[in-house]
Amino acid sequence: ALERTFSIIKPDATKRNLTGKITAKFEEAGLRVVASKRIQLTLAQAQEFYGVHKDRPFFGELTEYMISEPIVVQVLEGENAIARNREVMGATNPADAAEGTIRKEFALSIGENSVHGSDAPETAKEEIAYFFSGLELVG
Ligand code: CMP
């Protein structure tokens, strides 16, 4: 089915001018960018967005990193967009990521891994609503 997912191009990638190259990977995979904006998170916003990880040992490192540079938040639309986006991203740890994936080509480490993508329909819906109003989604 036609689906929408939420994507973040993370600080390590925006800093290295990889926004276009990463967006091209999404588009080549049949995902349409139906919303996109460059923002810089506050610490409170990063902590809220990653709230599910608040008890993990890397939470402090993760949230500080996510506010260290601007990010690009996007909504991607396509057939099975959530799974397709996860395929294009590759494994969380670039050391485990398959050839041709974004994380294999661009990620620096498990933390500085260039992209985030929703993991399920419910989280996609929540994450899209956190960053975008309905008017900003142009399919
Ligand atoms: P993301 O998909 O954005 O969701 C949670 C993030 O936590 C994940 O990508 C990684 O970038 C980060 N993460 C996961 N494990 C570790 C770790 N061991 N050390 C640092 N960051 C991590």
Side-chain angles (χ1 to χ4, degrees):
L2 197 66
E3 237 176 27
R4 284 176 173 175
T5 192
F6 175 73
S7 170
I8 302 179
I9 302 177
K10 292 187 179 184
D12 69 273
T14 60
K15 188 175 186 176
R16 290 178 290 148
N17 270 356
L18 294 171
T19 298
K21 284 189 171 138
I22 289 173
T23 302
K25 290 271 198 192
F26 296 145
E27 293 183 334
E28 284 161 15
L31 296 167
R32 181 182 303 282
V33 180
V34 299
S36 183
K37 59 189 173 188
R38 183 174 167 98
I39 60 175
Q40 187 148 12
L41 293 178
T42 64
L43 185 59
Q45 288 168 336
Q47 288 169 340
E48 185 178 356
F49 181 75
Y50 280 118
V52 64
H53 297 304
K54 68 178 189 310
D55 297 326
R56 302 280 197 100
F58 57 81
F59 184 67
E61 184 188 328
L62 171 62
T63 51
E64 288 292 341
Y65 157 67
M66 288 300 292
I67 69 168
S68 64
E69 293 280 333
I71 61 174
V72 175
V73 291
Q74 297 178 317
V75 179
L76 308 177
E77 183 181 89
E79 282 297 313
N80 300 315
I82 296 168
R84 189 166 291 186
N85 179 44
R86 295 180 74 77
E87 275 173 32
V88 180
M89 289 194 296
T92 303
N93 186 344
D96 302 326
E99 283 303 325
T101 62
I102 291 169
R103 284 166 172 159
K104 176 71 178 188
E105 282 190 27
F106 303 124
L108 303 174
S109 66
I110 191 167
E112 295 187 303
N113 65 352
S114 302
V115 280
H116 164 85
S118 305
D119 61 3
E122 194 50 41
T123 45
K125 208 174 156 179
E126 286 172 17
E127 292 176 352
I128 290 168
Y130 187 67
F131 287 101
F132 292 98
S133 79
L135 280 175
E136 292 176 297
L137 307 174
V138 184

